[in-house]
Amino acid sequence: DAKTTQPPSMDCAEGRAANLPCNHSTISGNEYVYWYRQIHSQGPQYIIHGLKNNETNEMASLIITEDRKSSTLILPHATLRDTAVYYCIVPVRLNQAGTALIFGKGTTLSVSS
Amino acid sequence: KAGVTQTPRYLIKTRGQQVTLSCSPISGHRSVSWYQQTPGQGLQFLFEYFSETQRNKGNFPGRFSGRQFSNSRSEMNVSTLELGDSALYLCASSLWGTSNYGYTFGSGTRLTVV
């Protein structure tokens, strides 16, 4: 099962910041948080990932709380093309050999003009 | 650099047939994971291969199998197709497939079983 919980849907006005929350209360000390998004019928696209410090790249910022139990993905100026399903993922250790990205249902972000 | 390439993009098969899908990872990546996406179940993990060995497996029946070649290219096979196997099949490649390395997804193969 996925180790994260996200709201099923969010709305955002074009040009405004979109703040997508994620809860990962069972995360352990060396586990990263990944964010992906999927635009209809395409493969998921990597956005950003982080361990404990806040991260920023050309697409988004990731804010991780000090206790690491939750995080927020920020799209600073949302556009219509940002309408997608956003997945927050903590890789799951299935066996001794490694981890896997287990997807939950994600958050459907709808950006409107 | 080239991304993850999946072939074919679309496929139509009949119930009872078998199908083989191909995934070429990013050059240098050694881990390939496969996922099934359906409207009802979302994105579900099938299995992961690393250095030609299956390292992780999701909760799918034995009809779903895969393999990885020495050049890291991977194939997945579904035997005795059922209508419920209609889905988008995605593969993702990663350098090492561990939690501190990113995964890059292909565009997927859309399989329709009739």
Side-chain angles (χ1 to χ4, degrees):
Chain A
D1 289 348
K3 296 172 65 172
T4 62
T5 54
Q6 301 175 252
S9 63
M10 294 185 67
D11 295 320
C12 181
E14 191 176 23
R16 304 298 293 269
N19 298 288
L20 289 84
C22 178
N23 181 289
H24 32 80
S25 57
T26 61
I27 195 170
S28 61
N30 62 349
E31 291 178 327
Y32 282 71
V33 179
Y34 283 84
W35 283 84
Y36 282 79
R37 72 181 182 183
Q38 188 176 27
I39 297 170
H40 183 63
S41 293
Q42 299 180 18
Q45 176 190 25
Y46 166 82
I47 301 173
I48 199 167
H49 73 287
L51 184 61
K52 53 184 175 181
N53 297 319
N54 297 338
E55 302 287 346
T56 295
N57 63 21
E58 63 279 3
M59 287 183 68
S61 295
L62 175 60
I63 308 298
I64 303 174
T65 58
E66 194 168 338
D67 64 7
R68 301 211 324 120
K69 293 186 176 185
S70 65
S71 61
T72 300
L73 178 75
I74 301 173
L75 307 178
H77 305 287
T79 71
L80 298 178
R81 286 179 293 181
D82 292 322
T83 293
V85 180
Y86 287 77
Y87 297 98
C88 168
I89 305 166
V90 174
V92 173
R93 180 166 295 280
L94 298 179
N95 56 40
Q96 298 277 358
T99 57
L101 293 182
I102 303 299
F103 287 76
K105 297 192 182 302
T107 295
T108 299
L109 175 67
S110 299
V111 181
S112 57
S113 57
Chain B
K1 59 182 177 181
V4 178
T5 303
Q6 291 189 245
T7 56
R9 289 296 310 275
Y10 301 92
L11 205 50
I12 300 176
K13 289 287 189 179
T14 305
R15 266 184 308 175
Q17 288 186 313
Q18 73 166 15
V19 68
T20 300
L21 312 180
S22 178
C23 174
S24 293
I26 290 173
S27 178
H29 283 193
R30 297 172 62 183
S31 165
V32 175
S33 300
W34 288 90
Y35 292 81
Q36 180 197 66
Q37 186 170 29
T38 60
Q41 298 298 321
L43 267 159
Q44 293 187 284
F45 173 75
L46 279 156
F47 31 65
E48 182 221 3
Y49 284 85
F50 181 82
S51 292
E52 302 178 63
T53 301
Q54 187 180 87
R55 190 164 67 169
N56 279 306
K57 189 176 189 305
N59 189 26
F60 276 81
R63 300 185 298 107
F64 293 82
S65 63
R67 60 178 174 169
Q68 187 179 35
F69 302 95
S70 58
N71 62 358
S72 293
R73 189 177 72 85
S74 177
E75 291 180 346
M76 67 162 283
N77 184 278
V78 187
S79 63
T80 318
L81 283 166
E82 302 176 359
L83 295 179
D85 297 331
S86 295
L88 179 66
Y89 290 87
L90 292 155
C91 81
S93 82
S94 171
L95 189 61
W96 295 106
T98 57
S99 61
N100 54 344
Y101 289 92
Y103 297 76
T104 302
F105 283 80
S107 298
T109 294
R110 172 77 60 185
L111 171 66
T112 302
V113 182
V114 297

